[in-house]
Amino acid sequence: MADMAENHRAVVELKEKYASSVLDVREFRGEVTVTVKKEDIVEICRFLKENAAYNLLTDVTAVDYLGQEPRFMMVYNLYSIPNKDRLRVKAPVAEADVSVDSVCGVWSTANWLERETYDLFGIRFNNHPDLRRILMTDDWVGHPLRKDYPLQGPDREPYKGRLS
Amino acid sequence: MASIEKMTLNMGPQHPSTHGVLRLVLELDGEKIEKVTPHIGYLHRGVEKLAEHRTYHQTLPLTDRLDYLAPMSNNLGYVLAVEKLLGIEVPERAETIRVIMAELTRIKSHLVWLACHALDIGAMTVFLYCFREREAVMDIYEMISGARMTSNYFRVGGLSQDVPDGFEKRVRDFIDSFDANVDTYEGLLTKNTIWLQRTVGNGVISAEDAVDAGITGPALRGSGVDWDLRRDNPYSGYEKYKFQVPIGEKCDTFDRYKVRLVELREAAKIVRQALDFLKPGPILADLPQVCYPPKDAVYNTIEGLIHHFKIASEGFLVPEGEVYQGIEAPKGELGYYVVSDGGNHPYRMRIRPPSFVNLSAIEKMSKGFMVADLVAVIGTLDIVLGEIDR
């Protein structure tokens, strides 16, 4: 199974060009995920877009692994319309410096998707042209999709499962 | 010399042509749009957060309420993602019924698009005709799931129940008369001077810009990008069906209109093929640790009742891992990114809504046009706020 990930057309090139940056390559259920250092995310994304034809940025989001270090994981789902295949790029973000460079300059799709990630996870995007909250109101306190944010609202006890 | 003052106009959130609670702040020079700033989130219900606290089956009804004009497409994307995560396959009959319902849903969603889009531009008659046909699809929904909108009909591993007697005839009757109905809509609009004046050359976005902005679905195909997930990355057995993927040339509202009209006819074609393909058989995978037992067993045996109770209360465990499943929903690529930590509820469920990303291109598409043209652009993007705000 690991062979498929290792032989993936873009992974081969990435490992050659950014050997020091690639932290992990994984294949699960036919999907290839590359984890890279967040410092190189913009350069790697640009490389994937220009040299591996990943012209569509499908999605940008994050996952909060509360209790682990680094706490957050940025997730970029890429798609190549000419080659009809997908690639997932991930980048760990530590709680001490909750920020990552914006990929808005590579795909303009990232604008709103990064705003949403900022809004719900509190991850700041450096060099983002318009980093405002998008789903929550401007004066909202806290970031609802963080694992330590109570399900029922900021002033309520943490959710302990259904009572019924 | 008279001074020229820019005007800021607030459009929405309560406005008939913003299709829900979308608020747009417009900066105007006379009636020309200089800047559009959308404000969204009025319908935010925290579906992604809620999903982290529910079992996989309890999350399913939440997905109906995203794009409430196309509930079964949302269900389909979700169950496919969970099935991929589990690594299971569903029986052929279930797959085929899913395709029939997904395509009827496409018809239903496109009919609402056409109805509202035409109404916004001033063609009332089309609205009434489209809703007449949509009602027929709603009746089919009600027939198989008991609900007209929040269907919650699919299950991880198959379907909640088999379709009732008379389903095939009902669908076939609808499909057989449908082409003539599309002819009616076309007769009312395609050569209508007012319609042409409002849509030709409106909301132009080049193929390159559209891909850069992440637009997907019929809105992207209207700009001439030949890409459809049903054909290019088939799921749920779509590789078995023959259909055309229409594309536009002029990248404007009129071309997107033509693309969606062809899609209506193609969807009907797929439904017809799927009906021919439909054979008796099981509708749930034979996986007792994941799937609900048949209702007959639940009502008549103690083992069945216990089994049902266990699945309903505890759910099922899903292996650790992460998957992304994208489907060609009526409005574009709908994706579910599900992360499991090995437990009985998603560790993280991300919904990639097509409307959200498509709407972000609104500024590019309406800059320099009149306010009235913006109404046509909102219509042609085919957004639904339940999905944008989640």
Side-chain angles (χ1 to χ4, degrees):
Chain A
M1 291 291 261
D3 286 351
M4 183 187 159
E6 298 296 325
N7 296 330
H8 186 275
R9 62 182 180 91
V11 171
V12 175
E13 286 185 60
L14 267 188
K15 284 189 120 176
E16 237 168 63
K17 199 140 188 286
Y18 300 97
S20 62
S21 186
V22 176
L23 302 172
D24 183 38
V25 179
R26 198 165 287 204
E27 193 268 337
F28 181 70
R29 305 277 188 240
E31 297 179 4
V32 178
T33 306
V34 189
T35 310
V36 300
K37 283 186 189 156
K38 75 166 187 179
E39 287 76 15
D40 301 325
I41 191 74
V42 177
E43 207 181 318
I44 285 176
C45 283
R46 184 162 283 124
F47 174 79
L48 287 171
K49 185 189 177 186
E50 285 165 8
N51 296 47
Y54 284 101
N55 53 350
L56 186 72
L57 174 66
T58 311
D59 196 19
V60 176
T61 189
V63 184
D64 178 5
Y65 293 102
L66 181 65
Q68 291 179 33
E69 196 52 49
R71 177 173 169 185
F72 297 100
M73 188 66 91
M74 283 300 302
V75 183
Y76 303 82
N77 279 303
L78 314 184
Y79 187 84
S80 163
I81 294 180
N83 295 298
K84 326 270 183 226
D85 67 346
R86 293 186 192 280
L87 179 69
R88 182 158 47 242
V89 179
K90 300 206 293 187
V93 176
E95 199 176 1
D97 174 23
V98 198
S99 70
V100 61
D101 291 339
S102 164
V103 297
C104 279
V106 187
W107 300 278
S108 53
T109 328
N111 189 324
W112 278 29
L113 293 167
E114 286 182 345
R115 274 177 69 187
E116 187 183 329
T117 310
Y118 161 72
D119 187 2
L120 302 180
F121 284 94
I123 296 172
R124 276 179 290 103
F125 291 89
N126 308 324
N127 310 320
H128 190 286
D130 182 25
L131 197 63
R132 289 179 291 128
R133 285 188 184 269
I134 187 162
L135 292 178
M136 310 306 285
T137 52
D138 290 340
D139 56 353
W140 195 265
V141 179
H143 302 285
L145 273 182
R146 287 190 172 192
K147 286 283 179 186
D148 51 6
Y149 189 94
L151 176 66
Q152 303 184 53
D155 310 321
R156 306 278 291 274
E157 285 283 297
Y159 182 71
K160 296 195 184 79
R162 284 167 43 145
L163 298 172
S164 58
Chain B
M1 212 171 82
S3 69
I4 300 167
E5 233 176 89
K6 299 265 164 70
M7 183 163 78
T8 304
L9 185 74
N10 202 24
M11 185 171 168
Q14 281 85 24
H15 187 285
S17 68
T18 56
H19 296 204
V21 278
L22 167 67
R23 177 175 159 228
L24 299 166
V25 177
L26 313 177
E27 277 172 37
L28 302 173
D29 173 10
E31 207 179 327
K32 228 171 81 191
I33 297 167
E34 299 220 311
K35 191 172 166 34
V36 185
T37 314
H39 290 263
I40 58 174
Y42 293 91
L43 272 184
H44 182 56
R45 292 149 294 173
V47 170
E48 292 176 13
K49 181 87 175 171
L50 285 168
E52 293 174 6
H53 296 268
R54 276 162 170 68
T55 66
Y56 285 90
H57 270 133
Q58 286 166 350
T59 304
L60 185 60
L62 297 177
T63 63
D64 292 332
R65 288 147 177 85
L66 298 168
D67 177 357
Y68 40 77
L69 301 174
M72 290 222 195
S73 298
N74 301 297
N75 292 167
L76 180 63
Y78 174 72
V79 294
L80 286 174
V82 179
E83 283 158 6
K84 197 181 203 181
L85 200 48
L86 282 162
I88 62 173
E89 287 190 3
V90 302
E92 199 163 50
R93 183 175 170 83
E95 263 191 353
T96 312
I97 293 174
R98 282 178 179 183
V99 168
I100 294 174
M101 291 319 295
E103 291 308 312
L104 286 175
T105 303
R106 187 179 317 278
I107 290 176
K108 178 171 121 122
S109 169
H110 278 14
L111 284 174
V112 175
W113 155 77
L114 182 60
C116 298
H117 190 28
L119 186 67
D120 288 346
I121 302 181
M124 179 93 187
T125 320
V126 189
F127 175 85
L128 297 170
Y129 284 143
C130 287
F131 267 67
R132 182 186 63 190
E133 270 74 69
R134 175 176 182 253
E135 199 57 33
V137 181
M138 301 276 253
D139 285 344
I140 297 171
Y141 259 60
E142 192 175 352
M143 185 182 192
I144 64 163
S145 72
R148 287 156 50 82
M149 286 181 89
T150 49
S151 53
N152 191 28
Y153 176 62
F154 301 155
R155 289 288 178 276
V156 177
L159 308 170
S160 63
Q161 55 194 314
D162 207 340
V163 291
D165 292 341
F167 167 78
E168 286 171 55
K169 184 178 179 306
R170 187 87 160 259
V171 176
R172 219 177 270 278
D173 287 350
F174 172 73
I175 291 301
D176 285 345
S177 60
F178 188 65
D179 253 0
N181 288 322
V182 181
D183 290 341
T184 309
Y185 317 144
E186 282 213 78
L188 286 165
L189 294 174
T190 306
K191 288 180 183 164
N192 179 328
T193 316
I194 303 173
W195 180 258
L196 289 171
Q197 281 179 352
R198 293 296 301 273
T199 58
V200 174
N202 167 277
V204 178
I205 185 158
S206 70
E208 203 178 305
D209 285 349
V211 173
D212 182 48
I215 295 179
T216 49
L220 180 64
R221 287 189 284 276
S223 289
V225 180
D226 187 12
W227 173 57
D228 187 316
L229 281 171
R230 289 173 295 171
R231 183 196 63 198
D232 297 330
N233 302 83
Y235 52 89
S236 197
Y238 266 108
E239 63 277 5
K240 289 181 292 207
Y241 308 105
K242 286 196 181 67
F243 58 96
Q244 303 288 321
V245 177
I247 55 168
E249 283 168 7
K250 302 207 179 68
C251 318
D252 60 0
T253 300
F254 186 68
D255 274 23
R256 287 186 287 269
Y257 154 78
K258 284 199 297 189
V259 163
R260 287 199 180 94
L261 276 190
V262 178
E263 282 190 7
L264 280 173
R265 295 181 196 273
E266 294 300 316
K269 249 165 73 182
I270 297 174
V271 173
R272 196 169 291 129
Q273 292 172 48
L275 280 174
D276 293 339
F277 202 75
L278 194 61
K279 288 180 190 61
I283 47 119
L284 264 179
D286 186 19
L287 292 162
Q289 68 277 31
V290 173
C291 300
Y292 283 102
K295 279 280 177 285
D296 191 45
V298 179
Y299 292 141
N300 294 307
T301 67
I302 186 66
E303 292 81 8
L305 186 64
I306 293 169
H307 183 189
H308 180 89
F309 186 74
K310 263 190 88 72
I311 298 277
S313 57
E314 284 176 15
F316 48 83
L317 298 181
V318 172
E320 199 177 328
E322 52 182 338
V323 293
Y324 176 87
Q325 174 69 45
I327 67 158
E328 189 71 35
K331 293 172 177 64
E333 177 177 344
L334 171 69
Y336 286 88
Y337 170 64
V338 186
V339 181
S340 168
D341 61 352
N344 63 353
H345 49 80
Y347 185 77
R348 165 99 175 96
M349 184 183 81
R350 158 74 182 164
I351 301 153
R352 188 267 183 207
S355 297
F356 179 90
V357 183
N358 289 1
L359 179 66
S360 67
I362 195 168
E363 178 157 16
K364 204 172 262 173
M365 291 169 77
S366 56
K367 203 171 177 180
F369 287 98
M370 302 291 183
V371 176
D373 293 327
L374 177 65
V375 171
V377 172
I378 298 171
T380 191
L381 280 172
D382 192 16
I383 52 163
V384 60
L385 271 299
E387 177 180 82
I388 291 173
D389 296 343
R390 279 155 288 140

